[in-house]
Amino acid sequence: MDRLQEYCKDTVTVASREQTRLEVLNGPEDGREFVIEADTIRIGRDDTNDFRVRLDHSVSRTHAQITRDEHGIYRLEDLGSKFGSSVNEAKLNGPVKLNSGDVISIGNTELVFRLCDAPDR
């Protein structure tokens, strides 16, 4: 399987506005979307991650995770990645609450967090 086929098998083609999701804003996988359905998702290059960023080699194997608590609040946490993670250009020093429209940077990839029909801040 070549790199493009492998990338495409993990791509969500269309996400509705009723779904909480990540959208790749900038980076090698620009335009890709991922619907967040679980309470915890891991992001990284490794196949064991829920959202795999395969084409950006500055993303760690297991880079970060997003968790949703019992109140429906989403938080991003860096998992000890080599280059770190940031939200809206602020480097993470611990878990950070996510709001709709927040820009998450991991490696050379920027993701936009979109919360179910919520307006961006």
Side-chain angles (χ1 to χ4, degrees):
M1 183 180 301
D2 70 16
R3 292 174 80 188
L4 181 59
Q5 287 173 318
E6 195 159 313
Y7 162 72
C8 288
K9 78 175 189 171
D10 293 324
T11 300
V12 175
T13 53
V14 177
S16 74
R17 288 200 35 84
E18 293 82 34
Q19 296 171 305
T20 299
R21 64 197 183 279
L22 293 173
E23 300 172 2
V24 180
L25 181 63
N26 291 308
E29 300 178 29
D30 192 10
R32 183 174 170 210
E33 294 184 342
F34 176 80
V35 175
I36 300 173
E37 297 175 316
D39 288 336
T40 300
I41 64 152
R42 287 190 177 228
I43 304 167
R45 281 192 347 255
D46 193 79
D47 287 339
T48 61
N49 292 293
D50 303 294
F51 182 63
R52 291 177 286 276
V53 182
R54 296 176 190 255
L55 302 179
D56 183 349
H57 296 288
S58 61
V59 172
S60 296
R61 286 182 185 94
T62 303
H63 198 104
Q65 77 178 14
I66 295 175
T67 56
R68 178 179 55 211
D69 68 17
E70 65 274 5
H71 304 290
I73 304 295
Y74 288 86
R75 288 185 173 75
L76 176 72
E77 179 180 7
D78 187 84
L79 298 175
S81 66
K82 184 174 182 179
F83 298 111
S85 304
S86 62
V87 174
N88 301 325
E89 300 182 8
K91 198 83 155 164
L92 268 62
N93 293 318
V96 171
K97 180 183 174 191
L98 291 173
N99 296 295
S100 193
D102 281 350
V103 176
I104 300 167
S105 298
I106 58 168
N108 293 318
T109 298
E110 288 186 327
L111 310 166
V112 178
F113 176 75
R114 303 278 186 207
L115 186 58
C116 313
D117 268 337
D120 292 346
R121 54 185 234 147

